[in-house]
Amino acid sequence: MPAHLTLEDIGRLAGVSRSTVSRVVNQQANVNPAVRDRVEEVIKRTGYAPNRAARSLVSGRSGIIGLVIPSRVHTVFDDPYFPRLIQGISSAANETRTTLSLFLFQSEREEEELYPRIITSGYLDGLIVTATRMADPLLAQLSSGDLPVVVVGRPDVDGVSYVDADNRNGGALAADHLCGLGYQRIGLLGAPTSTTAGVDRTTGFVEGLARNGRALDPRLRVDGDFTDSGGYAAMEQLIEQRPDAVFVASDTMAHGALRALRGAGLSVPDDLALISFDGFPASETSQPPLTVIHQPATRAGEEALHLLNALIAGAEPPLKKILPVDLVVRDSTEPRQP
Amino acid sequence: MPAHLTLEDIGRLAGVSRSTVSRVVNQQANVNPAVRDRVEEVIKRTGYAPNRAARSLVSGRSGIIGLVIPSRVHTVFDDPYFPRLIQGISSAANETRTTLSLFLFQSEREEEELYPRIITSGYLDGLIVTATRMADPLLAQLSSGDLPVVVVGRPDVDGVSYVDADNRNGGALAADHLCGLGYQRIGLLGAPTSTTAGVDRTTGFVEGLARNGRALDPRLRVDGDFTDSGGYAAMEQLIEQRPDAVFVASDTMAHGALRALRGAGLSVPDDLALISFDGFPASETSQPPLTVIHQPATRAGEEALHLLNALIAGAEPPLKKILPVDLVVRDSTEPRQP
DNA sequence: CGCTCTACCGAGAGCGCTCCCAGCAATCTA
DNA sequence: TAGATTGCTGGGAGCGCTCTCGGTAGAGCG
């Protein structure tokens, strides 16, 4: 038995031609049921699987899509967001029989060397790119090509398909919640404004305050960098301004902020209330459990793959999908007695 | 300009044949330097990249390796180990110009359906499998094929290439540290014995106690399941036996254990000392910062890819690599005054 | 100056598959 | 019964590449 069985081999064993075996494998009509059964029996017996390279050479499809995580994303290893996103993409990929290739760039050099050949070598049917910053050069390079692309997170250019959480509404919900509870000196520990997520969460928060007749005191705003230690440092600064409630734009930063608060001997929510954005499991077991704006990260991954599949199937870009977020009240916020 | 440039196109533009362009692309000798320059100029100008499917059809190599994470791994999303491992593999892959495909199985059904075709369709040059449990059926299926495989974590069968942290020595180091500090009632919050890592860490710990003239009191041992909540539950049980020090077999479980301790009003290390295994960044910022046995997860990923590349290049399995672990002392352990 | 040797280049074959078209038998229509 | 139609099958072409082989020009040698 040869290392690799071919259509021809199966045909010989079943007493039919290559073409007929191909038709059986691809579930096409116009095959005599008896013949089909015979061929399928041989395939099952021999464990034949079609050669993907040959198939993709002629069909122009590889069945492989790429997930690109740019070099600027330093938080891949510490933010629970990415594992969840990947899990969602992978789950949808398994369902649709597509293979997921992962391109994790850890330096700009890697990115510059590898990225161009990834998008031109033609062995990817499509690409999912996690957008992280405004004016992302990765997106610019793509616009010329004809490779289907879906961005996770709102890109700052038009005409690109994307899926995103409703960051803006999330920010507004956080403001509503805090205002409704009666907090007075409401602060913001924001996400970097170099990212659209950061911009949107902040914008939404400010809008939310406004519709409650409030404005954000600039002194009560410090931006973090999506990391735990960034949240810690930002909260240390914020404390000095004595806010009574703070919206932290990500769970990871919120955990850092919590540490800063404990370090300063402040208790949550008595001295300072906290509401965070993300709502990953760790926010349930922190002390105290955090009130959060929950975003469906896994589902974002699934939706990204679905949009991409639609694009590959011929849908006209841009396709867009905004996923709802929702408020989950826990112990880090509570009604304020004036 | 056609959607896809071919060797023939480049040849026409440079006034040479397909064969010559191929030689240039593949950096072979026997090409006139002037011709080579001319061809390279055209390639650069047009942005030509060889079609991977065609190349792999004739060469039998795809340049793609797969990473398989079995369905039994529920901790992928919450244990920092996996992102780090993936990061290591990806980094080494980028360096060696190989593409990483990710197979994340989330149910046994997915695994059973997809796994066989992954290993037979012949578009993977090799496979990295994260081993999690004893007698893993994924490994059994592979033995028959001729696909190069490297397992991350010690498999429980012979003849398989693998890379692993020195779990056994790590356990022993933890015992040495605790004994050296003067702790008397030393407990173990173990990892599941259905995994080789769990077995090895426990074995090493028991051996370490033995060489310090101690034995592990069975009542002071409770096993967790690698999760935060598992660590919490196990520590709640352990507390009743009043240990003065506990070796927790993973960082994630240690964080759960810390919560249980706080909940019980016990302080670390005064009431109970803790040493953990992993040494991820979060162990530095916990309260208190944890003394840990640090394992190089990222490097494990890199080594796995290197071994796999060696196998693909023709090395004879089994190839093995055991990575050293080391003790990092922080605040969760301290010398005991008798 | 004729021969060999080397350096370089192009043409052909073929990797395993899909798609298209021709062929053939059986069935249907007028 | 002749012609058209249908159901099924096989063979040829070709996807873009690599590899082998044969050919040509120029250099080196006696």
Side-chain angles (χ1 to χ4, degrees), chain A residues 87 97 106 113 287, chain B residues 87 97 106 113 262 287:
Chain A
Q87 188 252 332
R97 291 288 138 83
Q106 283 163 70
E113 274 182 34
Q287 296 196 305
Chain B
Q87 188 252 331
R97 291 287 139 83
Q106 283 161 72
E113 274 183 34
R262 263 199 297 270
Q287 294 195 307

Side-chain angles (χ1 to χ4, degrees), chain B residues 115-197:
Chain B
Y115 190 67
R117 58 181 79 203
I118 287 170
I119 58 182
T120 53
S121 64
Y123 76 114
L124 288 182
D125 290 348
L127 214 56
I128 297 178
V129 180
T130 60
T132 56
R133 43 174 170 160
M134 313 292 279
D136 201 309
L138 294 184
L139 298 180
Q141 286 185 58
L142 276 169
S143 55
S144 53
D146 43 4
L147 189 68
V149 174
V150 171
V151 175
V152 177
R154 181 174 69 81
D156 61 343
V157 288
D158 283 338
V160 184
S161 302
Y162 71 90
V163 30
D164 198 12
D166 196 343
N167 289 308
R168 197 149 157 184
N169 184 41
L173 287 179
D176 282 349
H177 178 67
L178 260 21
C179 292
L181 254 26
Y183 290 100
Q184 296 302 323
R185 292 183 56 78
I186 298 178
L188 169 67
L189 201 171
T193 52
S194 56
T195 67
T196 50

Side-chain angles (χ1 to χ4, degrees), chain B residues 66-91:
Chain B
L67 171 63
V68 171
I69 299 180
S71 61
R72 296 298 173 95
V73 183
H74 305 105
T75 50
V76 207
F77 321 125
D78 297 302
D79 198 312
Y81 177 77
F82 287 94
R84 269 151 232 282
L85 179 70
I86 291 173
Q87 188 252 331
I89 297 173
S90 165
S91 147

Side-chain angles (χ1 to χ4, degrees), chain A residues 19-52:
Chain A
S19 306
T20 301
V21 180
S22 173
R23 273 186 280 260
V24 171
V25 169
N26 294 298
Q27 322 229 34
Q28 292 172 359
N30 295 342
V31 178
N32 185 305
V35 173
R36 178 183 297 274
D37 288 349
R38 207 166 69 232
V39 172
E40 277 174 346
E41 191 274 323
V42 174
I43 290 177
K44 179 156 287 177
R45 182 161 53 80
T46 55
Y48 166 80
N51 180 301
R52 299 264 301 243

Side-chain angles (χ1 to χ4, degrees), chain B residues 85-104:
Chain B
L85 179 70
I86 291 173
Q87 188 252 331
I89 297 173
S90 165
S91 147
N94 286 346
E95 225 165 83
T96 55
R97 291 287 139 83
T98 56
T99 297
L100 173 65
S101 280
L102 188 64
F103 300 96
L104 207 66

Side-chain angles (χ1 to χ4, degrees), chain A residues 53 56 77-78 84 87 90 94 97 99-102 104 106 110 113-114 120 123 259 262 285 287, chain B residues 49 53 56 77-78 84 87 90 94 97 99-102 104 106 110 113-114 123 259 262 285 287:
Chain A
S56 103
F77 322 125
D78 297 301
R84 267 150 232 284
Q87 188 252 332
S90 165
N94 286 347
R97 291 288 138 83
T99 298
L100 172 65
S101 280
L102 189 63
L104 209 64
Q106 283 163 70
E110 272 186 14
E113 274 182 34
L114 267 35
T120 53
Y123 76 115
R259 271 172 42 230
R262 263 198 298 269
T285 54
Q287 296 196 305
Chain B
S56 101
F77 321 125
D78 297 302
R84 269 151 232 282
Q87 188 252 331
S90 165
N94 286 346
R97 291 287 139 83
T99 297
L100 173 65
S101 280
L102 188 64
L104 207 66
Q106 283 161 72
E110 273 187 13
E113 274 183 34
L114 267 35
Y123 76 114
R259 270 172 42 231
R262 263 199 297 270
T285 54
Q287 294 195 307

Side-chain angles (χ1 to χ4, degrees), chain B residues 282-320:
Chain B
S283 64
E284 290 182 58
T285 54
S286 64
Q287 294 195 307
L290 295 173
T291 294
V292 297
I293 303 297
H294 172 261
Q295 70 158 328
T298 305
R299 217 185 122 214
E302 293 170 1
E303 292 292 345
L305 193 85
H306 291 150
L307 291 195
L308 187 56
N309 277 337
L311 249 25
I312 292 169
E316 271 308 307
L319 264 31
K320 296 177 184 177

Side-chain angles (χ1 to χ4, degrees), chain A:
Chain A
M1 193 156 93
H4 283 296
L5 287 167
T6 71
L7 280 182
E8 208 84 47
D9 295 326
I10 303 300
R12 203 174 321 112
L13 288 168
V16 295
S17 78
R18 184 176 36 115
S19 306
T20 301
V21 180
S22 173
R23 273 186 280 260
V24 171
V25 169
N26 294 298
Q27 322 229 34
Q28 292 172 359
N30 295 342
V31 178
N32 185 305
V35 173
R36 178 183 297 274
D37 288 349
R38 207 166 69 232
V39 172
E40 277 174 346
E41 191 274 323
V42 174
I43 290 177
K44 179 156 287 177
R45 182 161 53 80
T46 55
Y48 166 80
N51 180 301
R52 299 264 301 243
R55 188 178 257 190
S56 103
L57 175 59
V58 41
S59 71
R61 290 273 178 87
S62 66
I64 305 178
I65 67 108
L67 171 63
V68 171
I69 299 180
S71 60
R72 298 298 173 95
V73 182
H74 305 106
T75 50
V76 207
F77 322 125
D78 297 301
D79 198 312
Y81 177 77
F82 288 94
R84 267 150 232 284
L85 180 70
I86 291 174
Q87 188 252 332
I89 297 173
S90 165
S91 145
N94 286 347
E95 225 165 84
T96 56
R97 291 288 138 83
T98 57
T99 298
L100 172 65
S101 280
L102 189 63
F103 301 95
L104 209 64
F105 297 126
Q106 283 163 70
S107 68
E108 275 187 72
R109 190 186 55 77
E110 272 186 14
E111 194 166 300
E112 281 162 16
E113 274 182 34
L114 267 35
Y115 191 68
R117 59 182 77 201
I118 287 169
I119 58 181
T120 53
S121 64
Y123 76 115
L124 288 183
D125 291 348
L127 214 57
I128 297 177
V129 180
T130 60
T132 56
R133 43 174 171 162
M134 313 292 279
D136 200 310
L138 294 185
L139 297 180
Q141 287 186 57
L142 276 168
S143 56
S144 53
D146 43 5
L147 189 68
V149 173
V150 171
V151 175
V152 177
R154 181 175 68 82
D156 63 340
V157 288
D158 283 338
V160 184
S161 301
Y162 71 90
V163 30
D164 197 13
D166 197 343
N167 289 308
R168 196 150 159 183
N169 185 41
L173 287 178
D176 282 349
H177 179 66
L178 261 20
C179 292
L181 255 26
Y183 291 101
Q184 296 302 324
R185 294 183 56 77
I186 298 178
L188 169 67
L189 200 171
T193 52
S194 56
T195 67
T196 50
V199 170
D200 293 352
R201 288 173 200 177
T202 294
T203 304
F205 186 62
V206 169
E207 285 171 355
L209 290 176
R211 75 188 178 197
N212 283 276
R214 309 285 192 83
L216 177 63
D217 183 342
R219 286 167 304 179
L220 288 178
R221 170 180 177 181
V222 178
D223 286 347
D225 60 357
F226 273 127
T227 70
D228 182 284
S229 57
Y232 181 91
M235 184 51 85
E236 279 197 319
Q237 270 190 261
L238 269 175
I239 288 171
E240 296 170 13
Q241 301 294 327
R242 311 223 147 272
D244 61 0
V246 171
F247 168 45
V248 185
S250 90
D251 270 10
T252 306
M253 293 196 293
H255 292 121
L258 232 30
R259 271 172 42 230
L261 259 13
R262 263 198 298 269
L266 296 174
S267 93
V268 178
D270 297 335
D271 298 320
L272 196 155
L274 231 49
I275 179 170
S276 162
F277 194 107
D278 272 337
F280 299 131
S283 66
E284 289 182 59
T285 54
S286 65
Q287 296 196 305
L290 295 173
T291 294
V292 297
I293 304 297
H294 171 263
Q295 70 158 328
T298 304
R299 216 186 123 211
E302 293 170 0
E303 291 292 345
L305 192 84
H306 290 150
L307 291 195
L308 186 56
N309 277 337
L311 249 26
I312 292 169
E316 271 307 308
L319 264 32
K320 296 177 184 177
K321 182 98 189 180
I322 308 292
L323 300 175
V325 299
D326 56 291
L327 173 70
V328 179
V329 180
R330 301 205 189 95
D331 301 346
S332 65
T333 55
E334 66 179 3
R336 204 44 156 204
Q337 323 293 2

